[in-house]
Amino acid sequence: MRIKFFQVFGFGEINLSKLQIFFLLFLLITLGAATNRAYSQSTKSIYDTQNLKLNFNNVDSIISFKNLKPYLKGISELRQHVLENQESYPMEQSAIETSRDKKHEAHKRWERYMRKLPVYVYMVNDMNDFIKVETQITKKISVCKKFNDEIIIDIKNNNNYRINGELELIPNQLINYPFNNREVIQLSKTHSNSFLKYINGGRATFSLPAYAKISIKMPIVYNCDGKNGMSYNLNDKVNIEHKINLSGYLYNKNKKELYRVTSTKMVSSTINIIK
């Protein structure tokens, strides 16, 4: 059985089978869904990305850090531009009237402008070339025979400008990272205005000036399930992995858009498991 359809643009009748109609509808639905996904990706705002989990499922593209370097100072430059050109950044009169001074008013105008900008989430695949993380840990252990250890973490900013970010040590089946910073010790830093603040569970925020390096030491506890010296079906090797998330947003003044930046997982050390 064939069904007649009239072509929309006036080119006469089109005879389609049921199978052809089904395929056409499926194609239209698929294209519509793809269009909606692309549109939703391009219309994220600050509200959508403030608490967004930065993983493969939520990134718009995977790129090199080199592509983002021109925008690392974008936010600070935008702040200064708003302060010097407040009339170019509209604000509700009620907000202007409640500002403490011109600097406070400029901050409000800046915030209002930022909220209107589209936000893109990028994952960097070469972060360790620019923000290098190295770890020192016991290279070989026997599970359920060694329970406590220490890990030394070095972070170096290989850029000629300050970097603010978050270090995220990826959880694994072997290691428990500290739940607080009581026993986290700073070993050294090359610049006095560098800092690393440990939060919990392998997460820490840091701020490093150009070419600065900071080193910390903290305790860790190895898991053991008590069954024949095994722990959660471990492989012969366990990698110490991490990610870097840049703080806040980057601003592209030419395209008038914001970027949130995370990295792919990187390996800094490997523990060999003796079974």
Side-chain angles (χ1 to χ4, degrees):
M1 177 180 179
R2 303 183 73 84
I3 300 174
K4 292 184 177 180
F5 275 77
F6 289 92
Q7 197 168 18
V8 175
F9 299 107
F11 295 106
E13 290 185 348
I14 298 177
N15 293 315
L16 297 176
S17 68
K18 286 184 177 180
L19 181 61
Q20 288 172 319
I21 292 170
F22 175 79
F23 177 75
L24 180 60
L25 290 174
F26 175 78
L27 183 62
L28 290 173
I29 291 170
T30 303
L31 289 173
T35 302
N36 286 335
R37 283 196 300 271
Y39 179 76
S40 64
Q41 281 185 336
S42 64
T43 55
K44 286 193 291 290
S45 69
I46 282 181
Y47 299 111
D48 300 319
T49 57
Q50 278 179 330
N51 299 311
L52 186 70
K53 190 171 183 179
L54 299 178
N55 57 27
F56 277 106
N57 296 325
N58 295 318
V59 300
D60 295 303
S61 186
I62 299 175
I63 62 174
S64 169
F65 189 82
K66 290 182 289 188
N67 297 335
L68 299 172
K69 288 179 71 173
Y71 315 120
L72 288 171
K73 295 182 179 180
I75 291 295
S76 59
E77 292 172 352
L78 175 62
R79 282 179 176 274
Q80 187 61 33
H81 189 267
V82 174
L83 180 61
E84 296 172 355
N85 302 273
Q86 296 198 35
E87 66 284 351
S88 299
Y89 297 87
M91 172 65 83
E92 298 86 351
Q93 186 61 34
S94 58
I96 295 174
E97 292 171 354
T98 56
S99 299
R100 295 189 299 271
D101 50 40
K102 283 296 180 183
K103 190 171 182 180
H104 185 221
E105 180 184 329
H107 180 77
K108 287 185 175 182
R109 291 179 185 270
W110 171 80
E111 281 188 329
R112 185 177 186 273
Y113 178 72
M114 292 273 288
R115 288 195 295 267
K116 294 183 176 182
L117 297 175
V119 181
Y120 296 89
V121 181
Y122 288 130
M123 180 172 280
V124 170
N125 58 12
D126 55 359
M127 185 70 85
N128 214 47
D129 294 337
F130 301 89
I131 305 171
K132 189 172 185 62
V133 176
E134 296 179 311
T135 54
Q136 299 175 45
I137 195 169
T138 302
K139 298 296 184 184
K140 187 181 296 185
I141 69 164
S142 295
V143 177
C144 296
K145 292 183 180 178
K146 185 177 180 66
F147 296 95
N148 299 297
D149 205 350
E150 293 179 333
I151 184 170
I152 294 175
I153 304 170
D154 299 325
I155 305 180
K156 184 180 180 183
N157 176 11
N158 289 328
N159 302 282
N160 61 351
Y161 29 73
R162 178 179 287 274
I163 294 289
N164 300 315
E166 178 190 47
L167 169 67
E168 183 181 342
L169 296 172
I170 308 300
N172 61 54
Q173 294 177 307
L174 180 64
I175 296 175
N176 292 304
Y177 294 110
F179 290 106
N180 55 57
N181 63 0
R182 286 199 295 267
E183 297 181 77
V184 177
I185 301 170
Q186 179 180 292
L187 299 177
S188 64
K189 61 181 180 179
T190 57
H191 291 64
S192 59
N193 55 350
S194 303
F195 77 81
L196 187 148
K197 182 179 180 182
Y198 185 82
I199 304 170
N200 58 40
R203 294 170 52 243
T205 57
F206 65 87
S207 180
L208 296 174
Y211 304 111
K213 179 179 178 180
I214 195 166
S215 179
I216 65 165
K217 179 175 69 174
M218 64 184 187
I220 58 172
V221 176
Y222 294 119
N223 283 321
C224 171
D225 63 8
K227 296 178 182 179
N228 300 319
M230 302 298 289
S231 178
Y232 307 102
N233 299 316
L234 287 174
N235 295 322
D236 293 335
K237 295 182 179 181
V238 174
N239 290 327
I240 307 300
E241 296 180 300
H242 71 277
K243 289 173 53 181
I244 295 289
N245 306 313
L246 297 191
S247 299
Y249 298 86
L250 307 185
Y251 174 61
N252 183 334
K253 67 179 180 181
N254 296 322
K255 293 186 176 181
K256 294 181 171 53
E257 55 192 29
L258 299 173
Y259 306 139
R260 282 212 69 187
V261 180
T262 185
S263 76
T264 54
K265 294 179 182 179
M266 296 164 280
V267 176
S268 60
S269 292
T270 298
I271 301 174
N272 293 291
I273 306 299
I274 303 173
K275 295 184 179 180

